[in-house]
Amino acid sequence: MDLPEDKGTYVLIASVLQMKRIEIGRLGLFDIIPGYYAYVGSAFGSGGLRARLGHHLESTADRHWHIDYLLQVAQPVEIWYTTADRKLEYHWAELLEKAPGFRIPIARFGSSDYHRTRSSHLFYSKRRPPFRWFQQQLTAQFEGIHAERCGVADAAPDAQKPPPGHLQNRREMCRRRGKRALLLSGKCGRLDFDR
């Protein structure tokens, strides 16, 4: 499934397998611990969701947004998105901030344009957040808003090169799960994550 060129709001889910220390723009130096990170963003510029997420998923050499720094050490897993014509970024960030199982790892990450707040658009979860839970929350809290889900392999541009350490990350993930045969077949990760 390709991402639409429509404008919309998204949550980019990424996985980190081992602790890394990175500098994130003017925010400073941070230790990124293993687990899952959910970044809430919006794409209301030219090219919509496809252009914005294409930027995030392609090379991280051109770091423009805070998420581009994080993706130097995190592996994108999937994207939750809506093509609703209203901006929902702040509301979705509030939803994740209040949700059990999530916490804010870096204040003001992705939300530095909200100058009077220490809120964040990045959330950490020890376990992979379930899309079904997110859909239920949207149905309960936002009338007429529905999200779709896109695996990163489905959303990435055809010419995308895997990030540095991608194969090492996949090997580590498979080793931990005892799925060596699946790694060799190239299926580890995609199948395991869908459980």
Side-chain angles (χ1 to χ4, degrees):
M1 168 171 68
D2 288 338
L3 284 167
E5 291 182 6
D6 299 343
K7 296 170 176 23
T9 303
Y10 62 91
V11 178
L12 174 59
I13 307 294
S15 171
V16 173
L17 295 175
Q18 56 185 318
M19 193 189 88
K20 298 282 186 176
R21 179 168 286 173
I22 63 168
E23 188 167 347
I24 300 174
R26 293 185 208 161
L27 291 178
L29 196 61
F30 295 92
D31 289 331
I32 306 299
I33 62 173
Y36 290 89
Y37 292 82
Y39 171 71
V40 182
S42 62
F44 282 84
S46 177
L49 289 162
R50 183 178 296 165
R52 176 64 56 90
L53 288 158
H55 168 86
H56 295 325
L57 297 176
E58 287 177 358
S59 171
T60 55
D62 182 22
R63 296 177 300 243
H64 181 74
W65 290 280
H66 290 151
I67 188 64
D68 299 332
Y69 292 88
L70 180 66
L71 291 177
Q72 292 178 312
V73 298
Q75 180 64 41
V77 175
E78 69 183 3
I79 299 158
W80 306 339
Y81 68 93
T82 186
T83 55
D85 60 355
R86 65 183 207 220
K87 291 187 178 185
L88 297 166
E89 183 177 4
Y90 180 78
H91 299 291
W92 285 14
E94 266 189 343
L95 181 126
L96 293 180
E97 184 174 355
K98 294 175 183 175
F102 284 102
R103 68 175 178 81
I104 294 175
I106 302 170
R108 300 191 69 215
F109 187 104
S111 62
S112 54
D113 47 344
Y114 300 102
H115 297 292
R116 295 185 182 178
T117 181
R118 293 197 44 81
S119 70
S120 181
H121 287 195
L122 182 69
F123 303 90
Y124 170 81
S125 175
K126 192 171 187 174
R127 292 183 174 80
R128 183 174 179 171
F131 178 66
R132 183 173 292 167
W133 169 85
F134 185 69
Q135 285 181 307
Q136 291 168 346
Q137 297 303 308
L138 291 185
T139 301
Q141 296 182 36
F142 302 97
E143 187 175 332
I145 301 297
H146 304 284
E148 296 186 48
R149 173 176 156 179
C150 181
V152 169
D154 299 330
D158 293 336
Q160 177 186 357
K161 295 179 183 174
H166 173 72
L167 187 56
Q168 291 172 328
N169 291 346
R170 179 169 273 193
R171 279 190 184 126
E172 178 64 17
M173 178 178 63
C174 292
R175 186 188 61 75
R176 287 182 183 174
R177 294 188 176 142
K179 306 286 184 187
R180 188 171 197 88
L182 286 176
L183 167 68
L184 296 174
S185 69
K187 295 179 182 174
C188 186
R190 188 178 290 185
L191 295 175
D192 290 344
F193 276 137
D194 289 336
R195 289 189 184 165

